[in-house]
Amino acid sequence: MAGALWGGGPVQAQQSQLPLTGAGGDPQTAVAQSRTSDQVSVTNGGSIQSSLGPYGDPFGYRAYLAERGITYVVTYIGEGLADVRGGLRRGATYGGRLDTSLDVDLDKLAGWSGARFHTDFFQINGHGLSRKFVDNLTTVSGIEALSATRLFELWIEQRLFDDKLSLKVGQISADTEFAIAQSAVVFLNAGFGWPNIGAVVLPSGGPIYPLATPAIRAKYVPDEHLSFQAGLFNGDPAGVPAAGDVTDPQRRNPSGTSFRVNDPALAIAEVAYAYSIANDAKGLPGTATLGGWHHFGQFDSPRFDSVGGRLLADPQASGFARRFRGDDGIYAILDQTIYREPDHDDQGASVFFRVSATPSDRNLVSFYLDTGIAYKGLFPDRPNDTIGLGLLYSRIGSAARGYDRDLVFLGQGTGPIRSSEAVLELTYQAEIVPGLTVQPDFQYVMRPGGGLVDDQGNRIRNAAVFGLRTTINY
C-alpha cells in the first residue's frame, strides 16, 4: 500500500490517522494490533533498551551502528503450555525461540540507493504441545517447531520509482507479507498467522515458519490506499522426500540452508485496499484483502486409487493414490477497527474475518476460516495491554471424509468420520515495560485433528489448554 513502511522507512503521519506500522509493513488499520507477537511480520512495539538506562546500549555500539544504517533486534519468546483435559493425552511443555534479526540500509552504509539487506536467525528449544499431546491441525503455539538453530530469511530488497515498486529476492517466508490479519497477531495459535489450510495442504507446510525458501517478491503501491504484490517461491522448502520417507520436513532441512530451487514452484498474489486512513476520514480504518496461490506440483487424492478410480480403502486397491497436477487456494480478509478510545488513536477495538478454500478432491482441508476481536487499552491504567478472543475452523475435505466412510463400509475401520476442527482462544497480553510482555492464554480445541481416533479407536476428546508466554524485545 502506498505510504507503507518499505522496511522501516520514515512514517508520514500527516497522511494517516494511524502510524504506518501494520503487520507486514502496510498501513496500520487495526488499532488493536498488539505490542509483541510471535509473527515475524510484526514489528514489536517498544524495546526493553529504554528501561535499562545506561546498560541499554553499552559503549554506544548500537547507536554507532544505527547511524551507519545497521540495526539489529533480539527477541526471546518463552512459554509454558499445558493440556489439562482431553487431547491425545494430558501433559505440559516449555518452548522458547530466540530471534536475532539484522537489517542494513545499503543506501546509508554503501550508497546503494533504495536497497536494504535483511537476515533472521532462530534458536528454537523445547517441545511442542500439539505434536506431543493435543494432536490437532491448528498448532497451539506459533513458535512450535523442532529444536534447532536455523537460518530463516536472507534477502535483499530494492525500492524503485519513489518507493512505489519494491523487488525482494533471496530466502523469503510467505507469512511475513501474505495473508496477514493485523488484528489477529496477538493470539498464540499458529492458525492466526498464516491461514492454517496452507500449512496443512502445501508440501512441507509451505514456505512459512520455520521453513523459508528461495523466492522473488514484487510489490506495487500506486497510492496510499492500494497495493498489489506477487511472489514466486520454491514450492517445497524441505524437498520432496523419497517414496516411503516420513522424515519430518524440519529434519530434512535442519539448518534452513538447503536453498532449494528445483522443486515445483508456488505462486502467490494478493491485492489489498486500506480505507478511512486519512486524518479527515469519516469512518474508522480497515483493510480488505483478496489473494490466491497456485502450486505447480502433484497432489494425491485422499480417496481414490490411481488404477481405474478404485477406492483406496478397498483391500484390492494398488495402494497408489490418484495424482492431480497442481493445486490452488484462494483467501479473503477483512480487518476493521470498530471503536477508537476518545483522544487515543492507538487504543480501541478491531475485528478480523478471514476465509480460505482449496479443492476438496486433493486436500485434507478444503475450507478454513478464522475470526476474532482484539481490544487494546480496555483498562484506562493499562493503555498498552491487549485482550483478544478468536475462533478458528478447519473443515475436512469431502474426499477425505469419503475415505473414512469407505473404510467403515468395506469393513476396514469402525469410524468415526472426520469432519472439522475448531479452536476457541482467549488471551491477554500485559505490557510490563516497553519491550517486555506477559501473556496468559486459554485455548479450547474441539475435535482435534478433525475427529481423529486414539490407539483404542476412540475419538480424541476436546482439549483444554492453558499457557503463559513471556516476550522480551531488545
Side-chain angles (χ1 to χ4, degrees):
M1 301 173 198
L5 271 176
W6 291 115
V11 174
Q12 299 178 5
Q14 71 275 14
Q15 293 184 1
S16 173
Q17 199 167 13
L18 293 171
L20 305 180
T21 55
D26 287 329
Q28 182 178 334
T29 58
V31 70
Q33 184 170 306
S34 61
R35 298 286 284 176
T36 63
S37 173
D38 60 51
Q39 297 182 35
V40 185
S41 64
V42 180
T43 300
N44 289 335
S47 169
I48 200 169
Q49 176 181 342
S50 62
S51 301
L52 299 177
Y55 301 101
D57 185 13
F59 308 108
Y61 289 147
R62 198 174 208 199
Y64 175 83
L65 292 173
E67 290 177 356
R68 288 152 180 80
I70 303 172
T71 58
Y72 61 89
V73 176
V74 180
T75 303
Y76 182 75
I77 302 173
E79 61 186 20
L81 297 166
D83 180 352
V84 301
R85 179 180 179 274
L88 193 62
R89 60 183 181 273
R90 289 181 295 176
T93 61
Y94 178 84
R97 186 182 80 189
L98 180 65
D99 179 3
T100 303
S101 64
L102 175 70
D103 285 273
V104 181
D105 184 336
L106 295 174
D107 188 358
K108 186 179 293 186
L109 181 68
W112 184 351
S113 179
R116 178 170 73 113
F117 169 82
H118 172 85
T119 190
D120 201 355
F121 291 86
F122 292 141
Q123 204 295 310
I124 306 166
N125 58 82
H127 301 281
L129 193 77
S130 285
R131 181 184 293 263
K132 293 191 67 175
F133 297 106
V134 184
D135 202 16
N136 61 322
L137 294 171
T138 48
T139 307
V140 166
S141 169
I143 70 169
E144 180 171 325
L146 296 180
S147 295
T149 298
R150 61 170 56 249
L151 172 70
F152 188 48
E153 291 194 308
L154 178 70
W155 46 257
I156 288 180
E157 181 184 43
Q158 176 69 60
R159 303 183 303 276
L160 302 165
F161 308 118
D162 295 325
D163 290 355
K164 289 186 176 182
L165 178 65
S166 165
L167 300 175
K168 182 183 289 187
V169 62
Q171 178 147 295
I172 304 172
S173 177
D175 57 346
T176 60
E177 297 187 67
F178 292 91
I180 297 168
Q182 293 180 17
S183 303
V185 300
V186 69
F187 296 100
L188 267 63
N189 192 292
F192 288 112
W194 178 259
N196 190 61
I197 191 170
V200 172
V201 306
L202 289 173
S204 301
I208 62 172
Y209 173 83
L211 295 172
T213 193
I216 183 170
R217 187 276 285 148
K219 187 171 185 176
Y220 176 61
V221 185
D223 59 49
E224 64 177 352
H225 298 283
L226 191 62
S227 73
F228 303 88
Q229 62 177 344
L232 187 65
F233 296 78
N234 183 74
D236 191 333
V240 180
D245 185 354
V246 295
T247 304
D248 190 289
Q250 295 177 49
R251 298 194 187 281
R252 299 203 307 270
N253 185 2
S255 61
T257 56
S258 292
F259 303 126
R260 298 185 60 85
V261 295
N262 57 346
D263 300 299
L266 170 68
I268 310 176
E270 167 180 301
V271 57
Y273 178 73
Y275 50 87
S276 299
I277 60 174
N279 284 328
D280 56 354
K282 294 182 179 179
L284 292 171
T287 304
T289 304
L290 181 65
W293 54 264
H294 176 78
H295 197 289
F296 291 86
Q298 293 189 330
F299 293 80
D300 291 344
S301 168
R303 188 180 188 187
F304 293 104
D305 188 280
S306 61
V307 181
R310 189 187 294 270
L311 297 174
L312 283 171
D314 189 336
Q316 303 301 317
S318 70
F320 296 98
R322 176 185 176 186
R323 308 215 79 184
F324 293 91
R325 185 179 299 276
D327 199 1
D328 300 279
I330 58 172
Y331 60 88
I333 308 169
L334 181 63
D335 216 329
Q336 176 69 54
T337 290
I338 59 173
Y339 175 72
R340 180 181 287 134
E341 290 280 353
D343 303 320
H344 294 282
D345 287 348
D346 62 346
Q347 297 176 35
S350 301
V351 298
F352 66 95
F353 184 78
R354 183 170 53 174
V355 295
S356 184
T358 62
S360 62
D361 60 356
R362 67 200 70 182
N363 294 301
L364 174 63
V365 175
S366 61
F367 178 78
Y368 172 84
L369 73 83
D370 55 33
T371 185
I373 182 170
Y375 201 120
K376 183 181 176 186
L378 179 62
F379 305 110
D381 58 341
R382 305 290 305 173
N384 289 324
D385 290 4
T386 306
I387 186 171
L389 177 65
L391 174 71
L392 309 101
Y393 173 83
S394 302
R395 180 168 178 77
I396 303 299
S398 59
R401 298 197 311 271
Y403 174 76
D404 292 348
R405 288 193 297 269
D406 297 339
L407 287 174
V408 175
F409 180 76
L410 295 171
Q412 302 301 306
T414 59
I417 310 302
R418 290 171 294 173
S419 58
S420 62
E421 176 183 288
V423 181
L424 182 69
E425 179 173 356
L426 175 64
T427 195
Y428 185 90
Q429 183 182 101
E431 183 181 70
I432 309 305
V433 296
L436 171 62
T437 61
V438 175
Q439 187 169 351
D441 186 83
F442 171 74
Q443 297 182 44
Y444 189 67
V445 183
M446 292 163 273
R447 299 176 301 278
L452 291 174
V453 297
D454 58 21
D455 294 339
Q456 285 72 45
N458 300 315
R459 187 190 292 267
I460 298 176
R461 294 187 303 156
N462 296 348
V465 175
F466 289 87
L468 181 66
R469 169 182 287 183
T470 298
T471 302
I472 304 173
N473 186 56
Y474 174 77

